[in-house]
Amino acid sequence: MEIMDGIHQITLGGDGSSGSHPTVSAYYVQGMDYGVFIDAGFPDEERTRPLLDYWRDTLGSPKTEWIFVTHRHYEHGGGVKLVKETTGAQVAVGAGDAEAVDADIGQGSKVVDKPLHGDEVFDLGGRHLRAVATPGHTLGTFCYLLEEEGILFTGDHIMGQGTVVVRTDEGGRMTEHIDSLRKLLDLDLKTVLSGHGPVMNDPLAKIPDLVRHRLERDEQILGMLREGTNHVDDLVSRIYGETSERLGFLARHQVVAHLKKLEEDGRAIAADQADTYRPA
């Protein structure tokens, strides 16, 4: 549906398939010269078809130049191959995630046309969209800013509900994630549109809270290390309690990301035993 002038939100999923969230949002942004997608849904046609149906039936198959992917995860970039073939649009993704998108989503064939490095600006006609490098969640996570309106599309970097998991196994780093959050405070933001959750109309108030939460978690984990809770799995149990298998998997990644940050900060040390840390 059109949620702002020339900005359309298409909600996909609803079957619990988008990770720990019930749905994922992709967006279509219309300029006077052409339109663009922000993210492209799932890798299978059944779950991505509503995105293309909306583009064709509601919007009338408008000229579309780009598919901007926020990051490599399958519910955000999974549909790029199908959307690209249907619309003729080119695919742009953060350089740090480009190889993974080609390998995992393109299944070895090249689907990424433009690896992004940050601050590229695209003139849609009356609207300028700037690519903003925000690594942390993954190595190549990007946000996209409509400069004139102060509207930022964030994918998972900032979510309308909950906090994002930092995936160190995919090049993510907690230190970079926090730095990327702080970087957004320098932008004149009015609205955040994320891949999960409601519209955020006061993002500059939310961002410091997100940073504070991460730093408080650092201190909580460091305190537990000092108390003798040293194994990753024991830390996960103390912090999160009983969880489903899926949420437990994500919680473990989150704890590992904080431990690696504490190690980078010189406040914790990886012990000889696997998945075990101690205070520095």
Side-chain angles (χ1 to χ4, degrees), residues 7-277:
I7 299 175
H8 303 261
Q9 181 184 41
I10 304 96
T11 301
L12 306 169
D15 57 358
S17 55
S18 54
S20 58
H21 301 276
T23 60
V24 62
S25 292
Y27 297 89
Y28 190 84
V29 181
Q30 294 174 297
M32 290 188 292
D33 295 336
Y34 62 85
V36 302
F37 286 100
I38 310 291
D39 283 340
F42 295 89
D44 58 284
E45 183 172 351
E46 180 181 356
R47 287 180 292 176
T48 297
R49 179 55 57 186
L51 182 69
L52 292 170
D53 288 346
Y54 187 93
W55 173 80
R56 183 188 64 247
D57 299 337
T58 302
L59 299 178
S61 305
K63 179 182 179 182
T64 303
E65 292 286 341
W66 291 99
I67 305 161
F68 292 108
V69 179
T70 58
H71 63 292
R72 63 186 282 181
H73 288 160
Y74 76 103
E75 78 272 27
H76 293 270
V80 292
K81 194 171 184 180
L82 176 61
V83 176
K84 178 178 183 175
E85 290 171 353
T86 303
T87 66
Q90 298 183 83
V91 175
V93 62
D97 280 2
E99 185 176 341
V101 170
D102 280 339
D104 298 341
I105 296 168
Q107 297 180 330
S109 63
K110 185 173 177 59
V111 294
V112 176
D113 299 289
K114 186 175 181 65
L116 298 169
H117 299 279
D119 290 327
E120 296 92 340
V121 177
F122 300 82
D123 184 355
L124 282 60
R127 278 179 157 156
H128 292 85
L129 188 76
R130 176 151 61 100
V132 182
T134 52
H137 176 44
T138 66
L139 180 61
T141 293
F142 261 68
C143 297
Y144 299 97
L145 175 68
L146 283 174
E147 294 186 316
E148 291 85 357
E149 296 142 289
I151 298 171
L152 187 71
F153 300 89
T154 59
D156 281 355
H157 181 55
I158 297 177
M159 300 191 297
Q161 54 192 23
T163 54
V164 67
V165 175
V166 172
R167 293 291 299 265
T168 59
D169 60 326
E170 296 172 342
R173 290 176 59 231
M174 186 62 71
T175 298
E176 281 194 321
H177 175 64
I178 292 171
D179 288 345
S180 292
L181 287 171
R182 288 173 169 153
K183 175 181 181 178
L184 299 182
L185 293 171
D186 295 330
L187 303 178
D188 185 19
L189 297 183
K190 302 293 192 300
T191 305
V192 160
L193 301 176
S194 78
H196 306 282
V199 174
M200 288 167 274
N201 290 314
D202 193 10
L204 294 180
K206 182 180 178 69
I207 292 169
D209 289 340
L210 293 173
V211 172
R212 188 179 307 111
H213 170 72
R214 299 298 193 180
L215 298 179
E216 288 174 352
R217 184 72 82 201
D218 274 356
E219 296 306 317
Q220 181 187 22
I221 291 174
L222 184 60
M224 290 180 178
L225 293 179
R226 289 170 175 159
E227 293 168 0
T229 304
N230 303 110
H231 195 278
V232 170
D233 292 336
D234 295 330
L235 290 164
V236 171
S237 295
R238 283 192 65 182
I239 295 168
Y240 295 99
E242 291 189 15
T243 65
S244 66
E245 182 178 353
R246 172 62 179 166
L247 290 180
F249 169 81
L250 297 174
R252 196 178 199 280
H253 277 294
Q254 199 79 298
V255 168
V256 167
H258 279 284
L259 287 166
K260 289 185 179 296
K261 177 181 180 296
L262 289 169
E263 190 175 17
E264 291 172 9
D265 293 344
R267 305 176 74 197
I269 298 171
D272 293 336
Q273 184 180 349
D275 297 328
T276 302
Y277 289 77

